[in-house]
Amino acid sequence: MDETVAEYIRRIILKIPRDEIKTMLKKWGFLSEIQLQTVNFCQVKENISRDVAQLCEENSADIKQAAVLDIIYNQTHPNKRVWSVYQMNKAGEEMEFFDLRYFKNKFKRRLQSALKNVTINFKEHEDNAIWIRIAWGTPYKKPNQYKTSYVVYHSQTPYVFISASVFKSNLPLLCQALIAASNYHDISEMELRSHSLNSLKDIVFKRYSQNFQTYYPRPLQERPVAQESADLRIIQENRNEKERIERLNWEAFGDGPLPKIEFAQYKLETMFKSNPKLDVLDKEPFRCLVKFSSPHLLESLKSLAPAGMADAPLSTLLTCIPQKARNYFRIRERTALLPGSFVSP
Amino acid sequence: GVFAHLEMLEVQAHEAAVKQEEMERQAEKLARLKARVQELRLQRNELRAKVDLQQNQQLGKGGIVSHPAQFTSEAILERKIKSIKAMLQLFYLTGISGKLTKWGVCFCISTAYEGTYLDLYYLDLVIKSEVQIRCHSIPIFIPLEQLAKKYLQTDIRRFLSVLSDHLNAYVRRRYQADQLQEHFSDQIEGTLQRNSLCNLLVFTYNVSHKGKTFPFNARLLYGDLCCSLPTEVIVSCT
């Protein structure tokens, strides 16, 4: 058996948190129960990884099986990668019977006809997503298993989630194979990027809780008015203002958990406005880049107005992120009357 | 002398008998009347009790009646709430309900299959010179844009009806696939292979006959997106 495979498996084990190793190996299913019982999972990770690699060698693991373990690790920890969202377009309106076998075959054939040295593995995930792992090589070198790209696709949707690797030059090839396999015409990158794959899915599939005004059947949620029953000696002077801010916040962000994105970037190309006017900056648009970063940007934006750090209502540039499904903006000078039109792709 | 005396005695006896009879009759009458009196007394008491009861009830009602405003407004409010609740329940049962918003309407489409309520989907419409979809929670694989292009401007009822058909059919197909996976997991090999719309199901199952098991492969195609039954089934023995 190839020693590189054992080493690769060993490196994967080292990445997995120690208390998850056993469950992940069980899910992998390559090693038998008896073999797993011989491993002491309480020792140092270094030793666990060596023991497991030894067992895999005894079972003659090949790269395909090792790739499956890699996919399982990435499916459990997708937030270790940065994901971009791509949108596909199709001209026709025919209804598709998406056949997984057909998709896999077509994708493989298309990619391998362009580049022979690739390792392609597929694995379906619980939420009906298809995970594709691609290890890239060159016409002269074998695929590098440590620099992999991942693609996550939900059938019959126009969105693909790609975590590209260092080899960005292979992206066009990957995109071509995707549209060929899924019967679409073209593909373009959206301005939406994050570590949290599930949040990206929530945004484009509109799975986050938007506030819809309906009568039924959800019971009216009681807004916390517990402050009223607190100490009567404490008087809320700004209660009206507080309630106004809360209401506006609710209208902008809704009730439930927000999708998790880490940053929003605004490229400004607007005229510099100052008082007194500075002639030198009057001629051309003032270019600057504004970047907001946070472990959970949308939640922090939601808490700005109640914390008193910003005026409510918040700028629509900030609140439109989930609806517009983007966190990269380019803002030019306002030319039209409609407020939404000055945000350009 | 003697006969006259005897005649006199006879007449006296006759008179005494008549008197006795009269007295007996009177006593009888008295007893009867007394019984009647008892009867009437009982009846009177009963009726009295009834009247008292009614009077008390009257008094009770009379208590509210004595505050006319409270009685009518409370009851009216209760009736209003009851009828509104019934209306909302009716809307929920029809599957499509809506609420006017400051910019248009927000529709709620509810889905169900054989008595089980399933998911709810929302569609927020802006009504200006033309109808636009502001935001929605319709799954991405439902052809919302196509339907909107066809019907939204011209026939909103048809749009909602067709959309509701699509959503209901999708939810029912998915529910059936889930139920199949859940209840027949021992006969199906591996997992059910399906796609997002659940309009193509592929699975392998075992049929045992005379001690031997035969693996069969089934492929269900649902050609009509508004229908929750397959249009084509291919079964092969592997």
Side-chain angles (χ1 to χ4, degrees):
Chain A
M1 185 190 106
D2 207 344
E3 266 172 4
T4 55
V5 177
E7 177 60 21
Y8 181 57
I9 295 176
R10 196 184 70 83
R11 297 264 187 106
I12 299 175
I13 307 275
L14 282 174
K15 277 198 286 187
I16 308 174
R18 196 170 66 164
D19 42 353
E20 291 178 26
I21 298 178
K22 191 167 185 188
T23 35
M24 233 178 259
L25 289 175
K26 275 199 173 144
K27 201 167 176 191
W28 186 33
F30 178 67
L31 298 172
S32 68
E33 268 297 320
I34 311 161
Q35 283 177 311
L36 283 176
Q37 276 169 10
T38 63
V39 181
N40 175 12
F41 289 101
C42 298
Q43 52 184 336
V44 184
K45 261 212 280 191
E46 193 60 53
N47 298 340
I48 301 177
S49 63
R50 246 179 305 134
D51 290 346
V52 173
Q54 176 76 20
L55 287 170
C56 292
E57 268 203 77
E58 287 171 20
N59 281 20
S60 310
D62 65 10
I63 193 59
K64 277 217 179 293
Q65 278 124 357
V68 172
L69 182 62
D70 189 36
I71 299 180
I72 294 176
Y73 168 71
N74 278 286
Q75 281 178 343
T76 324
H77 296 274
N79 301 348
K80 293 260 189 281
R81 294 178 156 259
V82 176
W83 298 89
S84 308
V85 189
Y86 287 72
Q87 187 169 11
M88 302 190 283
N89 297 306
K90 72 157 83 178
E93 293 189 355
E94 338 84 51
M95 197 241 332
E96 292 288 319
F97 287 114
F98 181 86
D99 192 342
L100 188 58
R101 244 181 342 186
Y102 172 84
F103 175 81
K104 286 185 189 177
N105 288 336
K106 197 117 194 252
F107 182 81
K108 260 192 153 152
R109 268 188 291 138
R110 200 57 191 287
L111 201 56
Q112 281 173 335
S113 68
L115 183 65
K116 276 213 185 62
N117 282 332
V118 269
T119 318
I120 307 172
N121 295 85
F122 300 89
K123 192 168 200 306
E124 287 107 77
H125 200 46
E126 307 144 343
D127 57 350
N128 243 340
I130 305 155
W131 280 63
I132 314 175
R133 174 189 177 277
I134 305 138
W136 303 96
T138 69
Y140 310 105
K141 283 202 293 190
K142 277 206 317 182
N144 183 346
Q145 301 298 336
Y146 294 92
K147 299 262 162 72
T148 51
S149 300
Y150 272 90
V151 175
V152 177
Y153 180 56
H154 285 256
S155 56
Q156 292 160 328
T157 65
Y159 299 106
V160 191
F161 306 91
I162 300 181
S163 168
S165 62
V166 193
F167 300 124
K168 289 259 163 66
S169 54
N170 290 316
L171 218 49
L173 227 68
L174 178 58
C175 292
Q176 287 305 308
L178 278 168
I179 50 180
S182 54
N183 270 327
Y184 278 86
H185 279 216
D186 55 53
I187 182 169
S188 57
E189 187 176 357
M190 289 174 68
E191 304 283 353
L192 188 58
R193 240 155 269 140
S194 173
H195 276 277
S196 170
L197 175 63
N198 283 334
S199 293
L200 290 175
K201 285 189 192 182
D202 285 346
I203 292 176
V204 292
F205 295 151
K206 305 214 180 283
R207 297 191 310 207
Y208 60 96
S209 59
Q210 310 172 68
N211 31 325
F212 294 103
Q213 298 183 40
T214 51
Y215 296 114
Y216 235 9
R218 284 174 310 165
L220 278 172
Q221 254 177 333
E222 290 293 329
R223 224 53 65 71
V225 263
Q227 289 95 358
E228 304 241 340
S229 56
D231 199 336
L232 286 170
R233 294 173 295 179
I234 301 174
I235 302 170
Q236 291 272 9
E237 285 295 336
N238 296 339
R239 182 176 306 154
N240 285 340
E241 182 60 18
K242 264 199 156 149
E243 283 173 7
R244 185 190 78 96
I245 292 175
E246 234 181 80
R247 190 176 40 86
L248 289 169
N249 236 24
W250 179 82
E251 272 177 23
F253 292 103
D255 261 329
L258 292 161
K260 192 171 180 189
I261 51 172
E262 296 90 42
F263 51 86
Q265 189 172 294
Y266 299 85
K267 221 180 217 178
L268 296 169
E269 289 168 16
T270 52
M271 302 300 289
F272 190 84
K273 294 186 179 64
S274 74
N275 204 354
K277 280 191 165 252
L278 296 166
D279 274 333
V280 69
L281 293 168
D282 238 353
K283 308 286 166 33
E284 277 183 20
F286 190 75
R287 292 170 211 274
C288 70
L289 189 76
V290 180
K291 187 170 178 180
F292 294 92
S293 304
S294 165
H296 197 319
L297 183 68
L298 291 175
E299 276 296 334
S300 55
L301 288 175
K302 185 177 177 182
S303 53
L304 277 179
M309 286 195 239
D311 286 332
L314 240 57
S315 160
T316 43
L317 283 171
L318 294 167
T319 56
C320 72
I321 292 171
Q323 281 100 301
K324 286 221 151 72
R326 60 191 303 164
N327 56 354
Y328 284 77
F329 297 84
R330 203 182 305 162
I331 303 167
R332 297 213 179 87
E333 198 57 49
R334 198 189 287 229
T335 48
L337 288 168
L338 294 165
S341 67
F342 64 91
V343 180
S344 60
Chain B
V2 170
F3 268 6
H5 200 65
L6 278 173
E7 262 182 48
M8 196 184 49
L9 283 172
E10 203 182 347
V11 166
Q12 272 182 0
H14 183 74
E15 273 178 17
V18 165
K19 246 191 216 162
Q20 178 109 355
E21 223 183 291
E22 187 72 50
M23 267 175 35
E24 276 179 10
R25 236 184 305 131
Q26 282 210 352
E28 216 179 289
K29 202 172 178 191
L30 192 60
R32 244 188 309 128
L33 286 172
K34 269 190 180 166
R36 181 87 180 118
V37 164
Q38 282 280 56
E39 224 180 279
L40 285 171
R41 273 203 185 127
L42 264 172
Q43 236 182 26
R44 177 201 69 182
N45 287 345
E46 268 179 44
L47 285 170
R48 249 196 205 153
K50 268 192 182 168
V51 167
D52 279 357
L53 200 65
Q54 264 195 357
Q55 262 185 359
N56 283 343
Q57 279 188 345
Q58 285 284 352
L59 267 174
K61 273 197 182 152
I64 292 180
V65 167
S66 66
H67 304 284
Q70 195 180 357
F71 171 54
T72 41
S73 65
E74 258 186 28
I76 286 174
L77 193 64
E78 248 182 66
R79 260 184 280 134
K80 267 190 180 169
I81 292 174
K82 228 177 164 181
S83 79
I84 289 176
K85 277 190 176 166
M87 189 71 86
L88 291 177
Q89 184 71 12
L90 187 69
F91 282 153
Y92 191 40
L93 288 171
T94 61
I96 303 178
S97 63
K99 180 180 180 199
L100 288 173
T101 60
K102 62 185 176 198
W103 46 74
V105 194
C106 181
F107 286 103
C108 170
I109 300 176
S110 69
T111 57
Y113 178 65
E114 286 189 351
T116 315
Y117 278 114
L118 298 164
D119 298 340
L120 289 165
Y121 298 100
Y122 299 96
L123 196 66
D124 203 347
L125 298 176
V126 174
I127 298 179
K128 285 195 288 203
S129 55
E130 55 169 22
V131 186
Q132 278 177 357
I133 299 177
R134 182 174 164 262
C135 56
H136 64 86
S137 69
I138 314 281
I140 191 73
F141 38 80
I142 302 282
L144 179 64
E145 270 144 41
Q146 285 174 37
L147 295 174
K149 219 190 290 184
K150 260 191 192 167
Y151 305 118
L152 187 59
Q153 306 305 328
T154 49
D155 190 350
I156 203 169
R157 272 209 194 120
R158 186 142 175 221
F159 169 72
L160 287 171
S161 161
V162 175
L163 182 62
S164 169
D165 287 343
H166 271 90
L167 288 169
N168 268 288
Y170 154 67
V171 162
R172 285 167 194 169
R173 290 193 300 265
R174 189 190 66 192
Y175 183 73
Q176 286 175 57
D178 289 340
Q179 293 285 297
L180 177 67
Q181 181 117 42
E182 209 184 293
H183 295 297
F184 295 90
S185 51
D186 50 344
Q187 280 182 293
I188 299 175
E189 264 193 50
T191 49
L192 215 61
Q193 182 206 302
R194 52 166 115 173
N195 53 24
S196 296
L197 270 170
C198 291
N199 69 342
L200 171 64
L201 292 181
V202 181
F203 57 94
T204 323
Y205 63 102
N206 296 318
V207 174
S208 36
H209 178 69
K210 290 187 181 166
K212 288 203 277 189
T213 48
F214 300 92
F216 278 87
N217 181 272
R219 207 177 144 87
L220 280 73
L221 284 97
Y222 297 77
D224 185 0
L225 280 184
C226 292
C227 189
S228 59
L229 291 171
T231 51
E232 193 183 323
V233 179
I234 304 168
V235 181
S236 55
C237 189
T238 49

